[in-house]
Amino acid sequence: MSASEIRVSRTIDAPASAVWNVLTDLDNAESVLSGVEKLERLDSTKYEVGTRWRETRVLFGKSSSEEMWVTEIDPEKRTVVKASSRGADYTTVFTLTPAGDGTTLTFHFSAEATGMGAFSRFLMKVFGSFALKATTKMIRQDLDDIADAAEKRAGREA
């Protein structure tokens, strides 16, 4: 794993179906993910390859919006979401793996610099570890939020 990758896992006391339903429920993401200020669908009412949305979060004290889109789906097993902004391409792979009666959700985030000049690459190296720590903290919170919602959903389904 390079410095521009983060991999975080969390075992959730819920079946893959409940985790998947929370993970792919864009319409309720604002109420599930405490770090998301706003989520605006840009097309489609479903979660399918090509679905696009704009997600707004507070990062380093400022609101920041990113346009994201789904590039791969293997229901209840894996989905891939991409974004591209500020000279970088971002890929997030969510993998769901059975873990006893529960599910392990793995969040693999990677960033690749594109079209950046030497000075921008230098700044990315200098401030990169700080940004990675903040991003890792955000990812852990997202996983906790998804786990809470999936476990509640699974409790209702039982």
Side-chain angles (χ1 to χ4, degrees), residues 8-155:
V8 180
S9 295
R10 160 89 196 249
T11 300
I12 301 170
D13 188 21
S17 60
V19 177
W20 180 260
N21 288 338
V22 171
L23 185 64
T24 60
D25 184 0
L26 298 177
D27 296 321
N28 289 303
E30 287 177 34
S31 61
V32 170
L33 300 174
S34 57
V36 172
E37 261 188 348
K38 182 178 179 183
L39 190 140
E40 174 189 2
R41 282 183 174 275
L42 301 176
D43 61 14
S44 183
T45 58
K46 300 176 185 175
Y47 187 89
E48 58 193 3
V49 171
T51 297
R52 299 178 87 82
W53 68 93
R54 184 173 297 111
E55 187 173 293
T56 304
R57 293 176 179 259
V58 174
L59 302 170
F60 309 113
K62 297 173 103 176
S63 278
S64 177
S65 296
E66 300 295 338
E67 186 171 320
M68 307 168 105
W69 61 93
V70 179
T71 60
E72 292 180 39
I73 296 175
D74 185 356
E76 298 185 15
K77 293 181 182 162
R78 170 185 153 104
T79 189
V80 179
V81 174
K82 299 229 179 208
S84 183
S85 73
R86 297 179 190 92
D89 289 337
Y90 304 98
T91 302
T92 305
V93 180
F94 296 94
T95 307
L96 291 76
T97 310
D101 290 337
T103 306
T104 297
L105 177 59
T106 300
F107 189 123
H108 180 207
F109 173 84
S110 62
E112 182 180 332
T114 58
M116 295 179 92
F119 184 69
S120 294
R121 284 194 302 275
F122 169 76
L123 287 176
M124 196 171 204
K125 284 183 182 179
V126 171
F127 296 106
S129 65
F130 175 71
L132 282 175
K133 286 178 186 173
T135 302
T136 301
K137 182 179 178 184
M138 179 183 71
I139 290 168
R140 288 187 193 285
Q141 184 61 56
D142 283 358
L143 287 175
D144 288 347
D145 293 342
I146 291 166
D148 289 346
E151 289 168 357
K152 285 177 186 161
R153 187 172 289 202

